[in-house]
């Protein structure tokens, strides 16, 4: 998120798409705007998804957000796209790994993409330009 704010602060267009957070009645029609260049979107769902138990309406809202992020990125609308909680959305079968791979392979070269979430699939790690792993090590 810090990288997104930094890039937007430099005058570039940035999209943050959070796939599993809801409860604020947002959806793609009501983006949060931070400054001139940072657009933050969540699906239009009433709760945060914490497992594979999403309803049909929740699945459709998440799919709509994915399609919007993919389409606007392919048009080169953003310099940076942050796909937050993407690995969990894939683990919960809300977004297919194949569609993410296709998107990454065919996106415009000037569009940087940051994927977040635990246990990122190896197929995505293999094509990533950079991988950062956060680990929590608690001391007794």
């Amino acid at each position: 998120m810090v990288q997104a704010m930094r890039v937007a602060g430099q005058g570039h267009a940035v999209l943050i798409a959070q796939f599993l957070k809801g409860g604020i009645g947002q959806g793609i029609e009501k983006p949060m705007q931070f400054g001139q260049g940072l657009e933050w979107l969540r699906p239009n769902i009433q709760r945060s998804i914490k497992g594979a138990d999403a309803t049909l309406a929740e699945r459709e809202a998440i799919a709509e957000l994915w399609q919007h992020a993919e389409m606007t990125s392919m048009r080169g609308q953003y310099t940076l796209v942050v796909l937050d909680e993407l690995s969990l959305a894939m683990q919960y079968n809300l977004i297919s790994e194949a569609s993410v791979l296709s998107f990454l392979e065919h996106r415009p070269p000037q569009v940087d993409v940051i994927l977040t979430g635990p246990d990122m699939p190896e197929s995505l790690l293999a094509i990533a330009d950079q991988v950062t792993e956060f680990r929590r090590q608690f001391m007794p």
Side-chain angles (χ1 to χ4, degrees):
M1 299 305 170
V2 171
Q3 180 71 9
M5 289 187 273
R6 183 179 301 120
V7 170
Q10 295 170 348
H12 300 284
V14 175
L15 172 66
I16 297 174
Q18 281 189 300
F19 291 101
L20 303 181
K21 299 280 191 296
I24 61 172
Q26 189 181 26
I28 65 171
E29 297 84 18
K30 301 177 198 167
M32 290 183 276
Q33 297 286 337
F34 294 91
Q36 294 180 353
L38 179 59
E39 185 172 280
W40 197 315
L41 288 169
R42 291 179 173 182
N44 187 12
I45 57 178
Q46 299 305 311
R47 64 184 180 119
S48 293
I49 305 297
K50 295 185 168 100
D53 65 341
T55 67
L56 178 60
E58 291 168 336
R59 288 176 178 277
E60 288 172 350
I62 292 166
E64 179 183 48
L65 178 56
W66 167 246
Q67 290 166 359
H68 175 79
E70 186 177 24
M71 179 186 64
T72 56
S73 298
M74 290 301 204
R75 286 194 315 241
Q77 187 171 332
Y78 302 103
T79 300
L80 176 64
V81 177
V82 178
L83 303 175
D84 191 39
E85 306 159 333
L86 184 73
S87 68
L88 291 172
M90 288 188 295
Q91 287 173 23
Y92 302 157
N93 294 315
L94 301 169
I95 299 171
S96 78
E97 186 175 331
S99 67
V100 175
L101 278 169
S102 178
F103 163 68
L104 293 173
E105 291 169 349
H106 296 102
R107 76 183 190 276
Q110 75 275 15
V111 177
D112 290 327
V113 179
I114 297 175
L115 313 175
T116 74
D119 301 318
M120 194 65 65
E122 285 297 323
S123 63
L124 299 181
L125 295 175
I127 65 168
D129 293 323
Q130 177 179 336
V131 175
T132 303
E133 180 181 5
F134 289 98
R135 291 185 270 168
R136 294 187 178 141
Q137 296 181 1
F138 297 101
M139 302 299 272

